[in-house]
Structure formats: structure tokens, C-alpha cells
Amino acid sequence: MFTFRKALIAAAFILTLIYLFRSSHTSTTSNSIKGTTTGRRPETDPAPYPQTTGRAAYKPSQSGRLYPPPTASNKKQSGQQALTDIAGKPLREQLQYQFPYDVEGKFPAYIWQTWKYTPASGEFEESFRPAEASWTEAHPGFVHEVITDEVAVHLIRHLYASVPSVLEAYKSLPLPVLKADFFRYLVLLARGGIYTDIDTFALKSATEWIPAAVPRSSTGLVIGIEADPDREDWRQWYSRRIQFVQWTIQSKPGHPVLRDVVATITEDTLRMKKAGILKSGKIDKSVVEFTGPAVWTDAIFRYFNNPEYFETERSKGNISFENFTGMKAAKKVGDVVVLPITCFSPGVQQMGAGEPDDPMAFVKHEFEGTWKPEAERIKITNN
């Protein structure tokens, strides 16, 4: 007779069988899924970019972390390093670890500017309001920040807390102009986007800066020419035969040029601090050479000629000012788009620059430079 007790025992037995069957099935499925994630990683290196300056192919996989990241593996990850290990590495390696570069990523929709006051303050100069507003109007949807000196200190402390030598260098700089210069490189290295001086007008949106034929997924830095003085006395007016603009820069985070210029300024700052000459009037470099367009231009040319990023064995020689003098259209060198002088320096009435109404005019700089010593302000002369 099938009693209630027997029925209860039978039900328990059936439930146990169902549980064991489901557990076995789940385990098999889980193992099957794991098996698909440990296979061979797909090839990620894109085809070499077309060059316009005689330089051989750019090697993006050596400029930062791989993209996409490696798939999961049961093996112990050897690439992970303790922070104590990173702290003992050379400065450029620390920066590369903290701010990896992904050329295939998007340009962040940030616009960074610095000034003594924000536009919300009654002390913000009325003469700067049209210029500041032009960037918001030309870039709807972008995050537009005007960072005061006080806020800049806290922001850099937050971004570079894990790289104390950079933080020490920033805090040690004795002049506001030095900190303003250094800030632009620091914020772009860490966050990317556009940095532009407070006295610049956005004539066209940054979405129009890169030529339509150039894929943004292969571009990580957009720069313009500030000066192309084809004259014998150029050294009286500019620091380099070709000088690149640093009042307006667009970049993706972690770009190697930014990494290099941040490391260079940090090393120079700490060297002078140790020597006791990091004081106004005692610094052994001019502002232009220390943090301005000279050190920026040098970092760009070092990058163009660095075999770590470019296959130099097939090149016809170093890239120099001769590759850019007199240019009228954008050139692409590896992952860098170089714009002609009209783009960021229209209206200077020399060196072949067009006027602000030129179709190639993207940014107009008013050359206020009110925060700089008179000797460091850009001089505009006619030929």
C-alpha cells in the first residue's frame, strides 16, 4: 500500500535527482562558456597609416596598452604590478601606467580653460566673455570648464596623487604663467579633450578640425603651426624655426607627446629646485623654453623621430621644420594631425597666414598674454 510516508520519501528522492541533474548541466554550460574566453586574442594592430612627410609607418601598439584588452585567462596575470613597483619605475613609465593611451578611443568632449576667475564671477573680465562663450556656442554637448588657480591645485592633486614627483613640480613652480602652461599638458594627459587659452575665439567647431578623409580612430593629437618665419632673423622673434601652437591643443588621454612634455617639465623643475634656482629671476630657462611653445615643439619632434613609435629604418631622414614650412593643408604624421598656420593663427598678417574669415581658420588668438611678463609675450611683426 502506497502510504503517505512512502509518498513523501518518493517525492524527496525525485527532487534530489532533479537537483543533481540541474547542477551537472549548469557546470557543463559554465565550463563551455569559460572555454570561449581563453582562446587566441584577435589581431588588433591596424594597417599602417598613409604618410605625408616621408616617415615610415606608425606603430600604435607600442604607444600604450593594447586595444581591446586581453581576454580572461586562468593563468596568473603577469602584467599587473603593485603600486610600490610602479613608484620605483622611471617617470615616463609611471605616467604611461597611470594614463594609458588608446588611439582608437574617442576624443573626450571636454573644453579646458584657466583664468583667475570663473565666468560666474563679477570679477571675470568683460573683454573675455565673448571669447569664452564662443567655445560653448560652437560645442553644444561638451563639458566646458574654466578652472581657477585655486581649483587647478586641487584638480592636479586629485589627478596626480599617484605620481608625487609631478605634483611636487606643479606646486613648486614660482610663476603663474609656468603653472598655466604646465596645467594644460597635465589635464590633457590625464583627461584629454581640448585645452584653449581664455583669449581665444572658436571660429569653427572642433568636429571640423580633422579632415574628413582622416579617420578619428587613427588620430590622437591635433596641433597647429604658430610660427613659420622664413627669414634670416627668425631667432629674434621665435624660439624655433617651426613653432607649434600650445594655446589650443586637442588630444586623447595619455598621448605620448603629452607624457614626454610632462616628464620633461617635471624633471627640469625638480632639478632647479634641488639646485636652489627655482625662483623668479634665477630660473636658468626662459618661460618659452621651460614650459612654453619651445619645450612643446621639441617634444613633438622627438615623438616624430622616435623609433619606439615609428619605423625609422625605412625613413629618408629625420622629420624637421622642412617637412612643415609653407604647408597650406593639414598633414598627418602617424597619429598626429598637423594643421597649417591659418587654422590656429589667422590674422597675424605674415608667414602665409590667412584672415579670420578664411575657410581654414578654426581658432583666433587675441594674444592678450596679460598674465605673462612683457618679455615673454608674442611679438607680431611685418616682413
Side-chain angles (χ1 to χ4, degrees):
M1 182 177 179
F2 196 67
T3 65
F4 175 78
R5 183 174 181 179
K6 290 181 178 180
L8 189 61
I9 294 173
F13 178 75
I14 293 171
L15 289 174
T16 302
L17 288 177
I18 292 173
Y19 175 79
L20 291 174
F21 175 80
R22 289 177 61 85
S23 297
S24 175
H25 178 72
T26 301
S27 175
T28 303
T29 304
S30 177
N31 289 337
S32 176
I33 292 172
K34 289 181 180 178
T36 65
T37 63
T38 57
R40 182 175 178 272
R41 184 175 65 246
E43 297 296 330
T44 58
D45 287 351
Y49 304 132
Q51 302 298 306
T52 59
T53 59
R55 170 64 68 197
Y58 167 65
K59 299 188 288 189
S61 63
Q62 297 186 17
S63 62
R65 67 170 174 82
L66 290 172
Y67 181 86
T71 53
S73 173
N74 292 327
K75 295 181 179 180
K76 185 177 179 180
Q77 295 293 326
S78 59
Q80 297 295 328
Q81 299 184 53
L83 290 179
T84 53
D85 295 335
I86 295 299
K89 297 289 184 181
L91 178 56
R92 284 166 178 78
E93 291 185 28
Q94 294 182 49
L95 294 170
Q96 183 175 10
Y97 178 85
Q98 297 297 336
F99 309 111
Y101 175 49
D102 175 13
V103 69
E104 296 182 1
K106 294 182 178 180
F107 282 98
Y110 294 131
I111 297 171
W112 305 99
Q113 295 185 289
T114 58
W115 191 238
K116 292 176 287 187
Y117 313 103
T118 70
S121 169
E123 297 183 82
F124 188 81
E125 286 82 341
E126 290 299 318
S127 61
F128 290 150
R129 290 193 182 278
E132 185 273 335
S134 72
W135 287 93
T136 298
E137 293 166 1
H139 300 87
F142 278 55
V143 176
H144 181 186
E145 296 284 356
V146 178
I147 306 295
T148 64
D149 296 342
E150 182 180 358
V151 172
V153 173
H154 294 291
L155 179 59
I156 297 305
R157 183 182 297 142
H158 168 69
L159 295 175
Y160 287 86
S162 57
V163 194
S165 59
V166 172
L167 187 57
E168 179 187 355
Y170 179 79
K171 292 167 64 177
S172 300
L173 290 171
L175 299 173
V177 61
L178 298 175
K179 288 187 174 181
D181 279 342
F182 199 19
F183 176 85
R184 70 196 65 194
Y185 310 130
L186 292 170
V187 76
L188 289 177
L189 176 63
R191 289 293 181 262
I194 298 167
Y195 171 85
T196 192
D197 278 356
I198 200 68
D199 58 347
T200 58
F201 282 86
L203 302 179
K204 290 187 178 179
S205 170
T207 59
E208 301 181 47
W209 294 359
I210 299 176
V214 176
R216 290 176 174 269
S217 61
S218 69
T219 303
L221 183 66
V222 181
I223 58 175
I225 290 179
E226 173 187 355
D228 182 11
D230 188 12
R231 46 192 288 173
E232 293 183 358
D233 63 345
W234 66 265
R235 289 181 178 82
Q236 297 180 27
W237 310 103
Y238 298 97
S239 59
R240 300 294 183 269
R241 174 59 181 79
I242 281 285
Q243 191 162 289
F244 294 113
V245 165
Q246 47 99 247
W247 60 70
T248 301
I249 305 166
Q250 184 181 30
S251 77
K252 294 176 182 176
H255 195 278
V257 172
L258 291 163
R259 186 193 314 147
D260 183 36
V261 76
V262 165
T264 298
I265 293 172
T266 298
E267 290 162 352
D268 266 350
T269 302
L270 298 183
R271 172 186 61 79
M272 285 187 250
K273 182 179 181 179
K274 185 176 181 180
I277 59 173
L278 192 62
K279 302 174 183 177
S280 181
K282 292 188 176 182
I283 297 173
D284 60 10
K285 287 187 174 185
S286 68
V287 173
V288 171
E289 295 284 342
F290 188 6
T291 59
V295 69
W296 174 238
T297 298
D298 289 349
I300 292 167
F301 277 114
R302 276 197 302 272
Y303 179 65
F304 287 160
N305 294 291
N306 190 338
E308 182 180 351
Y309 303 108
F310 296 86
E311 295 177 356
T312 56
E313 63 271 10
R314 292 186 296 171
S315 67
K316 299 178 181 178
N318 282 352
I319 289 180
S320 70
F321 78 89
E322 295 176 338
N323 297 100
F324 304 103
T325 186
M327 59 182 279
K328 298 297 182 183
K331 289 186 176 182
K332 188 166 187 290
V333 185
D335 64 340
V336 181
V337 169
V338 182
L339 301 175
I341 192 169
T342 298
C343 294
F344 288 171
S345 300
V348 296
Q349 300 179 349
Q350 58 175 317
M351 297 179 288
E355 294 301 313
D357 60 355
D358 191 291
M360 289 291 291
F362 300 154
V363 176
K364 187 177 187 298
H365 190 213
E366 292 297 319
F367 296 102
E368 291 284 343
T370 53
W371 55 89
K372 297 182 180 181
E374 179 65 30
E376 301 297 344
R377 298 183 190 178
I378 296 173
K379 306 179 181 70
I380 300 179
T381 62
N382 293 322
N383 288 324

